[in-house]
Amino acid sequence: MANVTELIFTGLFQDAEVQKVCFVLFLPVYLATVLGNGLIVVTVSVSKNLHSPMYFFLSSLSLVEIFYSSTIVPKFITDLLAKVKTISLKGCLAQIFFSHFLGVVEVILLVVMAYDRYVAICKPLHYMNIMSRQVCHLLVAGSWLGGLIHSTIQILITVPLPFCGPNVIDHYFCDLQPLFKLACTDTFMEGVIVMANSGLISIISLLILVSSYATILINLRNHSAEGRRKALSTCASHITVVILFFGPGAFIYMRPSSTFTVDKLVAVFYTVITPMLNPIVYTLRNGEMKNAIMKFWNQKEN
């Protein structure tokens, strides 16, 4: 039996006209993702007013969003115009590696950002000591290291699997469960290990996030009305992004896998739409960020 070297995606929809409509819709979304997140990265790096830890983490998150979106969306968009959507097995494994790597970096960064808000609101007098520049850099480096360890485990489990046909993946990008279905061996144990790996990270992160925000909300009762309003406004942005990130992922991974188009549509939300929404959520609810962006544009025009 020959080993498979090329895989074929079934894609999001079969209808050629619908795919063209999707191309017209999703190309601007991807460009907006790159430009919106890129604008946050540049604004935070050039603005003197945005050199606090909160904006350093936001800039790191935006950078991850650009990379994460770019591992899946450009290929997906170009495939919408292709009759046969192919990817090499090595390309497929690379896509899995980077999407899991960057996905977990994002999860850990969201936890770090929640911790940052907890320290700022619950321990304001010690904030600058606890969240020193060195600590901030270590937390971001830890996020990347955590993502690297996670995706290395996932890929080491997947690489030895034999693929001898069929070679059609019922999806529009490479992910572990659809790929496992193509292996010429029983992948039950591999499936359990990769689900445990992803599930454990998600559950621990979610517990930390929920407990952080619960502690913040309890602590806010001792603040003035103005302090409460400002803190809640910042936390609301974080909580919105957390829901946007974890909601679709939980829908996909916390139920039996199926070939429903619903699964693919939910995947579109977290691979294409959510990375674009994050910069909008953070900038619209943040006066300092909006002012810094306006200032940045005014300087460019002058």
Side-chain angles (χ1 to χ4, degrees), residues 226-246:
E226 177 59 25
R228 254 201 308 266
R229 189 194 60 77
K230 198 174 177 188
L232 281 171
S233 176
T234 310
C235 288
S237 303
H238 288 254
I239 292 165
T240 306
V241 169
V242 166
I243 292 166
L244 286 172
F245 185 84
F246 279 95

Side-chain angles (χ1 to χ4, degrees), residues 273-285:
I273 311 293
T274 304
M276 179 192 71
L277 292 177
N278 285 1
I280 296 170
V281 169
Y282 278 113
T283 49
L284 286 182
R285 297 192 64 92

Side-chain angles (χ1 to χ4, degrees), residues 4 14 29 92 110 144 181 206 248 262 282 291:
V4 168
Q14 307 305 309
V29 170
C92 183
L110 289 171
W144 286 86
K181 287 178 185 173
L206 208 50
V262 175
Y282 278 113
N291 292 338

Side-chain angles (χ1 to χ4, degrees), residues 160-180:
L161 291 174
F163 295 98
C164 48
N167 68 334
V168 177
I169 289 191
D170 187 19
H171 218 308
Y172 63 87
F173 70 98
C174 278
D175 206 0
L176 289 165
Q177 297 301 341
L179 187 63
F180 282 175

Side-chain angles (χ1 to χ4, degrees), residues 15 28 32 41 44 91 109 115 121 130 141 147 171 205 242 264 282 287 294:
D15 189 293
V41 173
V44 170
L109 270 178
Y115 173 68
I121 292 162
I130 296 171
H171 218 308
S205 303
V242 166
K264 294 186 202 173
Y282 278 113
M294 294 294 286

Side-chain angles (χ1 to χ4, degrees), residues 35-100:
L35 292 172
N37 285 294
L39 183 61
I40 287 179
V41 173
V42 172
T43 305
V44 170
S45 63
V46 300
S47 174
K48 291 182 178 71
N49 300 333
L50 302 181
H51 281 183
S52 68
M54 181 173 91
Y55 294 110
F56 173 64
F57 296 136
L58 175 57
S59 169
S60 301
L61 182 72
S62 289
L63 198 62
V64 173
E65 293 285 24
I66 294 170
F67 292 147
Y68 176 73
S69 187
S70 298
T71 60
I72 294 168
V73 183
K75 169 81 177 125
F76 166 50
I77 290 171
T78 50
D79 276 351
L80 287 167
L81 300 181
K83 273 196 168 68
V84 183
K85 308 165 204 324
T86 60
I87 188 168
S88 68
L89 184 59
K90 284 179 182 174
C92 183
L93 292 169
Q95 199 176 56
I96 288 170
F97 176 83
F98 286 108
S99 61
H100 276 259

